[in-house]
Every structure is written in C-alpha cells, then in structure tokens.
Amino acid sequence: MSISRRKFLGLIGSAGVGTAVSNSVFAASNKHFTGYPESFAVLHDSVRCVGCRQCEEACNKVNDLPEPDQPFSDASVLDKKRRTTAKAYTVVNRHDRAKDGIAPVFNKTQCNHCLEPACASACFVKAFKKTKTGAVTYDASVCVGCRYCMMACPFDIPAYEYDNALSPKVVKCTMCQPRILEGKLPGCVESCPREALVFGKRDDLIKIARNRIARYPKNYVDHIYGEHEMGGTSWMYLSGVAFQKIGMREDLGIKPAPELTSGALSVVPMVAALWPVLLTGVYAITKRKEKIENEEKNQAVNSAIKATKAVAELKIGEALAKAEKEQEEIVEKAVKSAVDNAVKANTEEAA
Amino acid sequence: MDEIAIIAPEKRLFTPFNIVSGIIVLMGLIITVIRFTKGLGAVTNLSDYNPWGIWIGFDLLVGVALAAGGYVTSAAVYIFGLKRFHFAVRPAVLTGFLGYLFVVIALTYDVGRPWRLPYPFIMQSGTTSLLFEVAACVSLYLTVLFLEFSPAALEWLGLKKARKLAVNLTIVLTIFGVILSTLHQSSLGALFLIAPSKLHPLWYSPYLPVFFFISSIVAGLSMVIFESSLSSRFFIDKMDSAHIAGKDQLILGFGKAASVVLAGYFAIKVIGVSAGDNWHLLATPYGIWFLVELLGFVALPCLLYAIGVRDRNLKLIKWTSLLAVLGIILNRFNVSLVAFNWHLPSNERYFPHWMEIGISLFIVTLGILVFRFIVTRMPIFYEHPDYPEEH
C-alpha cells in the first residue's frame, strides 16, 4: 500500500491538530454542546411501564437477533436482574418496591445515545458516531475490538461477542437508525402497548416530560433523567421513585465524557513541543560542561607541563653553566700546569 | 575436537529451566489455538461488565511500565551525561525493546481483530481517544527502541556501515524516546480518566497521567537494578570488566535516584487524595487497601532505598528494587482491576481465568528466552572487540 504525500501530511496533522479541531466530538471546546438541533429522542416513562417485554420482542424481530433461551411471554425472566448483551439490545428489569408499599416498577435499559458519547470519544478508529438524527451508530467494518468503548460507557451498555473467534463485534441498541431514516418509529416504541415510550424531537419530549411532572406531581419524581446526565442523552426517563432505586446511577454528574479527557489530550502538543527544547538544552549543557571540563583539564595539564619545563630548563642551564665553569677551570688548570711544566722544563734545561 | 569444546562448552538441553519453560511454551501454544478458534469467551473470564482483564492490566499496563528502563537509562547516560553508566544502556534498551515487542504480541490475543491494529493510522484516526495516543506512541517507540538496539545486532552481523549510521542517531533517538515515553506512559493512566463513575475515587484522579509517568521512572530505575542483579548472577561470564566494575556503582546511583523519585511520587499521591478531598475514604476497606499500596509499596521502598544507599548496602537495594517492582504491578492492578468496577456486586466482578494467566506466563517466558538468546550471542554485556570505546 502506498501513501501519498498529501495523505501522509494529513495523518501527521490529524495526530496533532486533530485533537483540537475534531468536530465529531466536542472535546476541548469552550462551547456548551446541547445536541444537534431537531434531533430525535425517546422518552421512557417507567410509571406507565407494565413489564410486558413487547419492546424486547419487537427489538429482537426488527434487528434479526437470535431467539432468546426463554420465550418473551415467560415472565419468570424478570425474577433476575439482566443487562444488555450481544443478543439483546434492550432489557426490561423489575424492581420490587414492596418496602415502599407500592407495586413493582419496571425499567427498560438500552443505549442512551448520549449527546456527546463516551464510546465515540474513546474509540481510536471512530467506529462510533453521533448522528444528526440522535442515534449513536457503530461501524463494525473498522472496529479493532479493543473494547475501550465498553470501559468508557458510564451506563455499561455496549456488549461484545466474546464467542466469536475472529470477527467479534461490539453490540448495542442502534435506536433503529435505519428505520428512523425511513421515517418509521424505533421497533420498541412502535410495539409499546402502554405508550410508555414516546419518540419525537428531543426538545419536544423534554416539554412533554415537564408537563407530565407538573400535572401529576405525586406520581413523578421532579427530574428528567438524561436531560443533563453525562452532558445529556437522547434517551430520557421519568420515574415515580428515585432513579437509583430502579437501577440507574445518580452520581454520574453532568459533565460530557469528552471533557474528562480533553485536559490530558491538550497536554500532548505541549509535551511534544517543549520536551525536545528542554532535553536538547540539558544535553547541550552537559556537553558544554564536558567541553569546559576538558578544556580546563587540558589547560591545567599544559600549564603544568610548561612550569615543569621551565624549572627543568633553569636547572639544566645552571648545570650547564656549572659544568662550563668546571670545564674552564679544568682547562685553566691544565694550561697552568702545562705552562708550569714548560717553565720548569725550560729552567731545568737552562740550568 | 578440543577446540570446539572450548568455543561451545557442553550445552545441556534438559536443564530445569529449559524443562519448565518448555512446558509453559507448550501450554501457551495450546491456549493460543483455543483463543483463535473459539474466541475470547473460551479462554477468559471477561464479560460485558469487565471488558479488560489481566491481558490489559498486566501485559499492557505493567509490561509498558517495567520496560521503562530503556528510556530512563539512555536519558541518564546520553542526555544527563552520566557516562559512567554507559555499560548499562544496552541491557536496558534490550529489555525495553523486548518488553514493548511482547506487549504488542500480547495485545494480539486481547483485541478482537488483531490484524486491524494498524487501522487507527491507515483507516481513520480517533484522535479524541487516549488509546489513539497510546497506540501511536507505543508503535513509534517500539521503532525507536529497535533502532537504539540495532547497533548491537549490527555488530554481531558485522555490518559496519549500517551500525555507524545507527550509532550516529543515538542522541536524536534518545530525545525522541523520552518524548514518546512521557506521552504514552502518562496516557496509559489517562485511559481511565473517562470512567470516573467506575474507578474508586481513591485511585481516580485528574493527576492519573502524572502518577503513571512518575511511577514509570521508578519502575525503570528499579527494573534496571533488579535485572542487573539477576544478570550478574546468570550471565556474569558474558560481562566485560567495565560492566563488572561498574555495576555496584550503578546499583547505588539508580537506588539513590529511585529513592528521590519515590519520595516525589509519594508526595503527589498524597496531594491527589487531598485534591479529591477523599480523606474520609481511607477508613473504608478500599481505603485500607490504598494505604497498603501507598505505605507498603511507595513509602517503604523509598525509605529502604535511602537506607541502602546511605549504608552502601547493595543487598538491601537489590531486594528493595523487587519490592518497588511489585509495587508498580500492584498499582496497575489496582487501577485497572481491583478498584475498577468497585461499585458492582461481587458476582459481576472479574477474576482471571487460569488460561489468561497461562498466556501472560507464556509471553513473559518467551521474552526471557529471547533475552537469553540475544545476550549469549550479541555484545550486550560487553563491548564488541571491533568497536572499542567509540560510543
């Protein structure tokens, strides 16, 4: 495979700048993202839900999922707490409220289609996308199967095909995106006999929900779950009891997931830019220190040599002078004795 | 005949080490077949609630941290000019290289479609993902480590020109290596930033990236000490005089550095608790476990290193390095497994399947076997006679 120069530059650019200007997830932005305008959503009113599980059955049919172990009409399934799996995009759980003196409450679980999804922010191949219709879609054709989306999802929704050896997928509710594009309702919404599920524009649904709470304040907790949780979701809930009591976390906060990591990501270009400067500086200082040390050493050695040489020369000079003097003396002596001898010989001859 | 005996002294095939590692390799191969024919579900206890097990917690998080000796040692020697530890660079770079190589090999078991691992770079890049940063830095750093290691292999192969080229790159590679290590060591911690609702507040902190980076320095220093004491036990016959003469100085020097960095790490961990105002959680069972980690595996090794250096007690420093290494393993396990999903009821929590442990053991064994293969053949613990003193 060859990569053109343009594509290569694009890759480099996407690695660095991409973190700051990505538009699929609104990380590291000072804008408050409130969702795509006119996007769709679903409101689940657990006060109306009777746990008939027709939504589960419809979901199964619409998405061509394998038959469940127990038929959908078997109510004993509700005795156990269940979660979404690779074979069930949505599950209804029964929460017994006998302690509160009320009938059991049923709650439906599926992907909440966050406005700024943790899965999309976490995915390193952009397999998840928040679409303008409101659905968070998944593209299995690029998925590597790292399962970081499952780690990231605060609602524990994505499931995985652990039994598939070579082409496992991450699996979650699609909000019936293909049906929405056709102008149809999501399977579960269409099948609900109690209108516990309402599909519509998110803004409208919030108004409907507020309206219900206002009209029946005794029946509802004054909170629309999903309006602000994790920055807001496209699947929202009404409840007659505290949401925590029907298996929903109330400690998630309202910060969208991408904001949790944007700080760490924004440090990347800083490290990449400043570390080389700092390290090269340290290296240069170390080198210079070594150089100066070497120079000083050389200098010291040189001057030591010079000093020794000078002393040696002096000594040699002295020795030479002394030797010369001695030599002269010897010569003088020899000459003197020769002269003396000659004089002696002369006088002897003369005598 | 005699000459051959001198060059290759009798090599026994059935040593206890070879038998044990042979069994592990065989077991690893069998599990490999099961993994790639029956899927992750057949060999792991992973679930929809617990998508990451020890193949991420140990093979990736611990593996990368313990392979930090490469960048720590080469930075100390080439950038900070601690030339007297030059002999330690090659063993450290080799272990770093093998560490990362086997991290990547281990990942092919864990991800669903391993041949797609290059997808983030060739298909589409999820640049908002910390995992993208990890993937980019790890793959680049693996390349850097390969190049840093290559002079030893090229000397072995006798390719002088290529070796010269590789040696000339040393300082650039070292700086590049430190940048990449800073980024991915820290982003391994940052991976967990996205899940504040799942990780226990004592371990969750906006400082997670800093914790991971600083502790990787401790891991690098401690692993160099630990390996050096193991190597001088098993490969002393391969070492040249510079290596043997310098290794005690190395242990003292690195022990001193590790003590200082551990003290800093202890301080920022305490700041982390304080910044999150989580003091009240220390009295809970998770809090006690947190204190075990902080006091037993951070404060204690910090103190023991300091005492060891003061008394020039090499034995104490060596044992402390083991304690510090265990501390890193404990920390990575706590973040990724023990304190993760702490809110779930116990029947929904994760405990590794024996086959998962088997694969981790298999990968570590392969790493040790390759290490042994290389150090018995290439100039790692000694200088190649053709290239004296020219690094």
Side-chain angles (χ1 to χ4, degrees):
Chain A
M1 210 198 78
S2 73
I3 295 181
S4 70
R5 179 171 166 272
R6 184 176 291 265
K7 196 164 180 194
F8 174 75
L9 289 174
L11 277 175
I12 298 289
S14 68
V17 188
T19 52
V21 294
S22 163
N23 52 16
S24 63
V25 179
F26 290 77
S29 140
N30 57 1
K31 271 192 216 147
H32 176 50
F33 182 66
T34 52
Y36 290 110
E38 306 280 290
S39 78
F40 296 112
V42 177
L43 177 68
H44 171 57
D45 189 337
S46 65
V47 174
R48 296 186 178 193
C49 181
V50 291
C52 68
R53 298 179 64 220
Q54 291 203 24
C55 51
E56 286 188 38
E57 190 170 3
C59 178
N60 183 282
K61 208 174 283 170
V62 165
N63 293 297
D64 290 320
L65 299 177
E67 278 293 307
D69 300 337
Q70 285 166 282
F72 287 107
S73 54
D74 186 351
S76 70
V77 171
L78 293 167
D79 292 342
K80 265 209 254 164
K81 188 196 148 203
R82 294 178 300 150
R83 59 154 291 148
T84 54
T85 67
K87 290 169 187 166
Y89 296 180
T90 184
V91 291
V92 174
N93 276 306
R94 185 180 66 210
H95 300 273
D96 289 313
R97 306 281 3 127
K99 264 186 282 171
D100 302 341
I102 54 170
V105 179
F106 298 94
N107 192 29
K108 179 179 178 297
T109 310
Q110 72 298 305
C111 174
N112 286 327
H113 299 274
C114 307
L115 298 185
E116 296 180 68
C119 54
S121 164
C123 182
F124 72 161
V125 285
K126 281 199 211 154
F128 290 95
K129 274 200 184 85
K130 177 74 175 177
T131 62
K132 293 201 165 143
T133 60
V136 176
T137 58
Y138 164 73
D139 178 4
S141 72
V142 291
C143 178
V144 181
C146 71
R147 307 187 297 285
Y148 187 34
C149 50
M150 299 166 73
M151 293 290 282
C153 178
F155 303 107
D156 279 323
I157 291 302
Y160 191 68
E161 294 179 332
Y162 283 107
D163 297 327
N164 188 333
L166 296 173
S167 55
K169 293 191 297 291
V170 172
V171 180
K172 70 172 197 67
C173 154
T174 63
M175 207 169 154
C176 285
Q177 171 76 348
R179 285 171 63 91
I180 292 178
L181 293 177
E182 285 172 30
K184 290 188 201 158
L185 288 174
C188 55
V189 176
E190 194 179 65
S191 73
C192 182
R194 297 270 299 173
E195 288 182 13
L197 295 168
V198 189
F199 178 85
K201 296 209 171 112
R202 189 172 186 267
D203 297 339
D204 295 341
L205 292 182
I206 291 173
K207 280 176 204 149
I208 291 172
R210 288 222 178 96
N211 207 4
R212 280 190 200 170
I213 295 170
R215 279 174 68 188
Y216 307 104
K218 276 189 190 160
N219 291 3
Y220 291 99
V221 174
D222 188 12
H223 181 72
I224 307 169
Y225 193 100
E227 188 183 1
H228 299 300
E229 272 73 11
M230 293 304 292
T233 57
S234 291
W235 212 285
M236 294 174 292
Y237 302 80
L238 286 177
S239 171
V241 297
F243 286 97
Q244 211 178 349
K245 293 187 175 170
I246 55 172
M248 300 171 78
R249 294 190 67 169
E250 291 186 300
D251 58 349
L252 298 179
I254 59 166
K255 207 183 236 188
E259 270 179 32
L260 297 164
T261 51
S262 58
L265 280 171
S266 66
V267 176
V268 173
M270 290 299 137
V271 172
L274 293 180
W275 242 195
V277 176
L278 185 70
L279 295 176
T280 317
V282 172
Y283 172 68
I285 291 170
T286 318
K287 263 241 138 140
R288 193 174 145 70
K289 232 165 109 186
E290 258 170 39
K291 200 178 151 200
I292 291 175
E293 260 168 31
N294 275 344
E295 270 170 12
E296 280 175 353
K297 209 159 105 192
N298 285 345
Q299 237 168 28
V301 170
N302 282 344
S303 62
I305 289 174
K306 243 186 227 160
T308 330
K309 235 186 194 165
V311 170
E313 267 167 18
L314 203 71
K315 272 190 183 157
I316 289 170
E318 274 173 12
L320 275 179
K322 206 177 164 191
E324 219 171 297
K325 213 176 164 190
E326 275 169 9
Q327 196 72 29
E328 269 170 23
E329 271 171 15
I330 290 169
V331 170
E332 231 169 73
K333 233 185 192 168
V335 169
K336 206 182 168 191
S337 72
V339 170
D340 282 352
N341 282 345
V343 171
K344 218 180 183 177
N346 273 346
T347 44
E348 269 171 23
E349 225 170 85
Chain B
M1 191 65 201
D2 277 341
E3 205 177 325
I4 291 167
I6 290 164
I7 292 168
E10 191 194 1
K11 275 184 192 162
R12 288 199 305 135
L13 194 61
F14 290 101
T15 60
F17 176 82
N18 285 359
I19 293 171
V20 171
S21 49
I23 292 170
I24 294 174
V25 169
L26 188 68
M27 171 199 66
L29 292 175
I30 294 170
I31 303 174
T32 304
V33 172
I34 304 176
R35 153 69 185 92
F36 287 104
T37 53
K38 298 243 157 80
L40 279 172
V43 295
T44 70
N45 280 344
L46 297 174
S47 67
D48 291 335
Y49 279 120
N50 304 288
W52 286 1
I54 62 162
W55 288 352
I56 297 295
F58 182 75
D59 301 4
L60 175 66
L61 297 186
V62 172
V64 166
L66 297 189
Y71 90 86
V72 170
T73 312
S74 50
V77 171
Y78 294 124
I79 297 178
F80 293 93
L82 302 175
K83 290 258 162 71
R84 62 182 187 279
F85 298 147
H86 183 263
F87 66 90
V89 171
R90 278 197 178 176
V93 165
L94 174 63
T95 12
F97 171 58
L98 292 180
Y100 279 83
L101 185 64
F102 283 95
V103 161
V104 174
I105 291 173
L107 272 181
T108 63
Y109 285 81
D110 187 77
V111 303
R113 311 189 196 202
W115 54 92
R116 285 185 175 179
L117 278 172
Y119 268 28
F121 313 113
I122 58 171
M123 297 299 282
Q124 43 191 14
S125 307
T127 47
T128 54
S129 173
L130 264 313
L131 200 59
F132 178 80
E133 194 192 326
V134 172
C137 292
V138 167
S139 52
L140 281 174
Y141 188 47
L142 184 60
T143 318
V144 166
L145 278 169
F146 173 74
L147 292 173
E148 282 189 310
F149 162 72
S150 62
L154 294 170
E155 285 172 16
W156 180 54
L157 296 169
L159 300 171
K160 293 196 175 183
K161 270 191 186 158
R163 177 204 170 268
K164 177 105 179 133
L165 193 73
V167 168
N168 285 343
L169 286 173
T170 301
I171 188 67
V172 176
L173 288 176
T174 304
I175 291 179
F176 208 43
V178 175
I179 299 166
L180 292 170
S181 295
T182 310
L183 289 177
H184 73 257
Q185 293 285 1
S186 60
S187 44
L188 282 175
L191 282 180
F192 295 89
L193 285 179
I194 203 158
S197 60
K198 294 184 178 179
L199 184 56
H200 191 282
L202 280 172
W203 282 273
Y204 185 90
S205 161
Y207 300 126
L208 261 177
V210 184
F211 293 164
F212 267 56
F213 174 60
I214 302 296
S215 57
S216 83
I217 299 174
V218 177
L221 294 167
S222 301
M223 272 306 274
V224 170
I225 297 172
F226 183 62
E227 281 166 17
S228 148
S229 43
L230 285 187
S231 297
S232 50
R233 186 164 179 165
F234 296 109
F235 301 113
I236 190 105
D237 54 320
K238 303 283 168 208
M239 293 178 178
D240 63 9
S241 55
H243 204 117
I244 293 170
K247 66 185 169 49
D248 289 356
Q249 275 306 312
L250 176 84
I251 289 171
L252 283 172
F254 275 39
K256 194 180 197 174
S259 177
V260 172
V261 180
L262 271 168
Y265 180 65
F266 180 83
I268 57 172
K269 283 290 273 187
V270 173
I271 291 170
V273 177
S274 201
D277 199 11
N278 292 322
W279 294 105
H280 63 289
L281 292 174
L282 291 178
T284 63
Y286 270 101
I288 290 164
W289 185 236
F290 181 81
L291 285 176
V292 167
E293 183 193 322
L294 189 63
L295 299 178
F297 293 89
V298 179
L300 185 62
C302 173
L303 189 71
L304 293 179
Y305 268 137
I307 294 172
V309 172
R310 185 194 64 185
D311 299 346
R312 305 184 72 78
N313 185 344
L314 295 175
K315 210 171 167 185
L316 179 62
I317 299 177
K318 287 176 191 172
W319 281 106
T320 307
S321 72
L322 179 63
L323 181 67
V325 166
L326 289 176
I328 299 295
I329 297 175
L330 180 70
N331 173 256
R332 300 308 193 250
F333 273 13
N334 279 343
V335 171
S336 63
L337 304 171
V338 180
F340 194 82
N341 276 340
W342 66 290
H343 62 286
L344 288 180
S346 57
N347 62 333
E348 283 166 0
R349 297 296 304 274
Y350 161 87
F351 192 84
H353 192 280
W354 72 264
M355 287 205 250
E356 289 178 82
I357 301 171
I359 286 293
S360 294
L361 205 59
F362 170 59
I363 304 262
V364 172
T365 308
L366 283 185
I368 294 171
L369 289 175
V370 175
F371 184 82
R372 189 179 67 164
F373 177 88
I374 291 177
V375 298
T376 50
R377 284 163 180 78
M378 299 183 196
I380 303 296
F381 291 122
Y382 59 93
E383 302 222 355
H384 195 284
D386 291 356
Y387 313 91
E389 296 289 329
E390 56 161 289
H391 298 287

